Amino acid sequence: MSKKLDKRAEVIDLLTVHFLDTGLSDTGLRRLAEVAGTSDRMLLYYFENKDELLAAVLTNIAGGLSASLTQLFGTTPLSADTVLEKLWVAAKSDAFKPHLRLWLDLAAHANRGDPLFLSIAQQISTGWINWMASLLDVPEANKDATAALILAAVDGQLVLFPGEIARGEHAILQLIALFRGQAKAQAQSGAA
Amino acid sequence: MSKKLDKRAEVIDLLTVHFLDTGLSDTGLRRLAEVAGTSDRMLLYYFENKDELLAAVLTNIAGGLSASLTQLFGTTPLSADTVLEKLWVAAKSDAFKPHLRLWLDLAAHANRGDPLFLSIAQQISTGWINWMASLLDVPEANKDATAALILAAVDGQLVLFPGEIARGEHAILQLIALFRGQAKAQAQSGAA
DNA sequence: GAGTATTTGTAGCAGTCGCTACAGTAATAA
DNA sequence: TTATTACTGTAGCGACTGCTACAAATACTC
């Protein structure tokens, strides 16, 4: 029984890489088997069916995400404009682009009504939002909204400028400026 | 020859509705034929191949979009916060949700590298941005960036909250507040 | 009405899909 | 050693994919 589970875990890891590389297309069992160095027959031995396989791999990705985010951003609270600035740099990097692309893929499938992808997409979304909300140095009442705004602004660039997210630079800079303007105004009113 | 073209146009219209309803899944030729009240054989008579069919329908959707947008928003310039407010109401409405969903579908396919969807997605994106930029009552230098920010914020909610875009309300309200704060600050500095 | 061009149905190809029946080998327990 | 269990290869099913060969029907021109 243990060899089965070991192999299963190994397959999940191999496919995690593959999914981040290629998204949710290219998910035929025979192709996945090739990537994982096994046969379609064996994939269906390790997993109940294809849905369970997808769920396992995507959940693994979702789980690994917060770790790498925390590593990148640390845990000290940051202002909204700083968080957005750092996130934008990350979004443009080769390391994080795959995650964003996959998230977009998931969201598209979820919006289409697929229940499997819907629950996983929601899980990943709340993961991002909670992580960012906890990182933000803004009033408690605004944390979730600010986190959602920042994340939406960044993903939105991926939707607006497919394949060339960097073209969203102007829009992001504008939002950063808006955050700074707000912070300044609040500092003044606080001083008054 | 004319009957062929007439039928072709009719098919495009029927499939336009279908694509807005169901997105880019459910695009098998036999299924599309059923929806269009014909046969797969005939679809490939009206169109060169499936790609040309998809391109024709999606282009038709892209073309119809600006018309309905102009109808909804008029042509008098509006402030950024007003545009966002109106767009958000529209985004939550049943009439526009299909367009957003389809756009998300397209963007996901485009980000995956599919050249057909990439060019169409870019066409639709620039359509949205240009239309909104021309509508915005903001300094020329900021128009595109503001338009992209507004659009990204709205689509982003679709990505963040699949199937329940309304949950992005807080984030949108926050951005509206940021726009208003900026306008106020500029009015003050202008008066000084 | 003959002859040509346009339009349409039938049938099927070669490929993919998720999945399974069956048989065989390898490891483990008695 | 025997019996049970875990593992894995082969082969294929039935349903689907985009697409096409072929032939028949229909419409149009002369």
Side-chain angles (χ1 to χ4, degrees):
Chain A
M1 195 55 169
S2 87
K3 186 172 179 187
K4 177 175 181 176
L5 291 182
D6 283 357
K7 263 299 221 173
R8 192 188 135 109
E10 185 192 331
V11 164
I12 290 179
D13 280 343
L14 287 170
L15 293 187
T16 290
V17 176
H18 178 251
F19 275 49
L20 284 174
D21 272 2
T22 67
L24 293 180
S25 60
D26 203 16
T27 61
L29 281 182
R30 289 163 177 88
R31 174 82 182 104
L32 296 184
E34 185 184 337
V35 171
T38 177
S39 67
D40 59 334
R41 171 66 183 74
M42 290 317 294
L43 286 185
L44 292 169
Y45 176 62
Y46 304 137
F47 302 89
E48 184 82 7
N49 51 37
K50 192 189 173 181
D51 275 5
E52 200 216 318
L53 193 170
L54 291 180
V57 175
L58 293 175
T59 303
N60 188 50
I61 294 176
L65 188 62
S66 37
S68 46
L69 287 176
T70 308
Q71 190 193 345
L72 185 69
F73 281 78
T75 51
T76 12
L78 299 171
S79 63
D81 62 300
T82 310
V83 168
L84 175 53
E85 205 169 18
K86 290 189 76 164
L87 182 68
W88 179 242
V89 172
K92 289 185 296 184
S93 78
D94 287 342
F96 270 80
K97 221 181 279 181
H99 282 275
L100 284 181
R101 261 195 314 146
L102 184 61
W103 189 20
L104 186 63
D105 251 0
L106 264 170
H109 281 85
N111 266 296
R112 200 195 278 161
D114 190 312
L116 170 67
F117 292 128
L118 181 59
S119 86
I120 299 177
Q122 286 173 337
Q123 183 187 337
I124 295 192
S125 280
T126 45
W128 282 91
I129 293 181
N130 288 341
W131 159 75
M132 180 167 295
S134 76
L135 189 67
L136 278 171
D137 184 21
V138 302
E140 190 64 36
N142 288 342
K143 285 197 173 185
D144 279 4
T146 305
L149 178 55
I150 290 176
L151 287 168
V154 172
D155 319 331
Q157 306 309 319
L158 203 62
V159 179
L160 273 176
F161 306 109
E164 37 184 0
I165 189 177
R167 286 188 52 204
E169 184 92 16
H170 291 346
I172 296 296
L173 291 179
Q174 176 128 359
L175 183 53
I176 291 177
L178 284 172
F179 278 137
R180 294 204 176 131
Q182 176 190 248
K184 201 171 151 193
Q186 279 173 355
Q188 284 177 349
S189 81
Chain B
M1 195 56 168
S2 88
K3 187 170 178 189
K4 177 175 181 177
L5 291 182
D6 283 357
K7 264 298 223 172
R8 192 188 135 108
E10 186 192 330
V11 165
I12 290 179
D13 280 343
L14 287 170
L15 292 188
T16 291
V17 176
H18 178 251
F19 275 49
L20 284 174
D21 271 2
T22 66
L24 293 179
S25 59
D26 203 16
T27 62
L29 282 182
R30 288 162 179 87
R31 174 82 182 105
L32 295 183
E34 184 185 338
V35 171
T38 178
S39 68
D40 60 333
R41 171 65 184 77
M42 291 316 294
L43 287 185
L44 292 170
Y45 176 61
Y46 303 137
F47 302 89
E48 184 84 5
N49 51 37
K50 191 189 173 181
D51 276 5
E52 201 215 320
L53 194 169
L54 291 181
V57 176
L58 292 175
T59 303
N60 188 51
I61 294 176
L65 188 62
S66 36
S68 45
L69 285 176
T70 308
Q71 190 193 348
L72 184 68
F73 281 78
T75 51
T76 12
L78 299 170
S79 62
D81 61 300
T82 311
V83 169
L84 176 53
E85 205 169 19
K86 289 187 77 165
L87 183 68
W88 179 242
V89 172
K92 289 185 296 184
S93 77
D94 287 342
F96 270 80
K97 220 180 280 181
H99 282 274
L100 284 179
R101 261 195 314 148
L102 184 60
W103 190 21
L104 186 63
D105 252 359
L106 263 171
H109 280 86
N111 266 297
R112 200 196 279 163
D114 190 313
L116 170 66
F117 292 129
L118 180 59
S119 86
I120 299 176
Q122 286 172 338
Q123 182 186 337
I124 296 192
S125 280
T126 44
W128 282 90
I129 294 180
N130 288 341
W131 159 75
M132 180 166 294
S134 76
L135 189 67
L136 278 171
D137 184 20
V138 302
E140 190 65 35
N142 288 342
K143 284 197 175 186
D144 278 5
T146 305
L149 177 55
I150 290 175
L151 286 168
V154 172
D155 319 331
Q157 305 310 319
L158 203 62
V159 179
L160 274 176
F161 306 109
E164 37 183 0
I165 189 179
R167 285 188 52 203
E169 184 93 16
H170 292 346
I172 297 295
L173 291 179
Q174 176 128 359
L175 182 54
I176 291 178
L178 285 172
F179 279 137
R180 295 204 175 131
Q182 177 190 250
K184 201 171 151 194
Q186 279 173 355
Q188 283 177 351
S189 81

